[in-house]
Structure formats: C-alpha cells, structure tokens
Amino acid sequence: MDTALWIVAGLLAAVALTGGVSKVFVPRAKLAEAPGGQWTESAGDGFVKALGGLELLAAVGLVLPAVVGVAPVMVPVTAACWVLLMVGAMVTHGRRGETAFVALNLVYLALAVFVAAGRFGPWPFTG
C-alpha cells in the first residue's frame, strides 16, 4: 500500500506541476484557447497566476516533505488541500457545462482522498 500511495502522490504532483507551470507562465489569452482553459477568459490574470502558484506548491508538498523526511505530515495535508482545489475546479467546469473536465477533476479528487486518508490513517510515514 505504501508503494501505491507513493505512486498516486507522484502522479498528482505531476498533474499539479503541469497545471501550475501553465497557469503561471502561459499567458491567460493562450490558456483560454486550450481545451478546458476557457474559464480563464472570465478570470483575472492575478487569480489565474495565484491558482498556478497553489498548484506549484501542491506539486512540492505532495512529495518533497516525505522524500527529505522533514514534516512528512505535509503530504496528506497537501492532498487534503488538493481536494478543496478540485472541488472548486469541478464547480467551475460544472457551471460551464464541461462535464468531461468535471469527471477528470473528480478522478484527481478521489486520488487525493486516497493519499490523504492513507497517510493520515493506517499508512503514515514513519521514522
């Protein structure tokens, strides 16, 4: 189970890194042209960049604390925060009628719940 939790946390970190880099470094107008990025048309630059920054922090928080052994409890805390971020993403895409992206965010949410529940629960980091 420990291996599965590591794999899922790494996968979520990759998703967060990809989303964060695109939101922080790609111009909002270009994001609005991408599939699933149309919501950025009605969002401010600062909001989009702030979300990207949160995603970059999530990418780090999902793996680095456990890798370096400093405050590994931050891994499930970050996963729980990712759940909240995915709820917001699901609401945003749902309001726009983008059901495929709602479903994708639901998968990410479920994976984050798995990591949070596993690391807070029966498989915490030890040592």
Side-chain angles (χ1 to χ4, degrees):
M1 187 57 72
D2 186 63
T3 302
L5 287 164
W6 271 106
I7 290 169
V8 171
L11 174 67
L12 286 176
V15 168
L17 181 64
T18 302
V21 166
S22 67
K23 288 177 185 77
V24 169
F25 297 108
V26 175
R28 190 172 53 90
K30 184 113 173 137
L31 285 175
E33 297 172 4
Q38 292 82 8
W39 66 270
T40 61
E41 294 171 340
S42 59
D45 286 337
F47 180 72
V48 173
K49 300 254 186 259
L51 281 178
L54 289 174
E55 289 178 332
L56 291 174
L57 289 172
V60 171
L62 284 165
V63 292
L64 189 63
V67 167
V68 298
V70 176
V73 72
M74 290 308 297
V75 172
V77 168
T78 302
C81 291
W82 186 259
V83 167
L84 298 175
L85 193 63
M86 290 301 100
V87 168
M90 289 168 60
V91 168
T92 299
H93 288 296
R95 287 181 178 167
R96 298 181 55 82
E98 299 168 341
T99 55
F101 290 104
V102 171
L104 180 61
N105 293 137
L106 182 60
V107 170
Y108 296 150
L109 182 147
L111 293 173
V113 166
F114 173 71
V115 171
R119 292 304 185 195
F120 276 135
W123 300 283
F125 293 108
T126 58

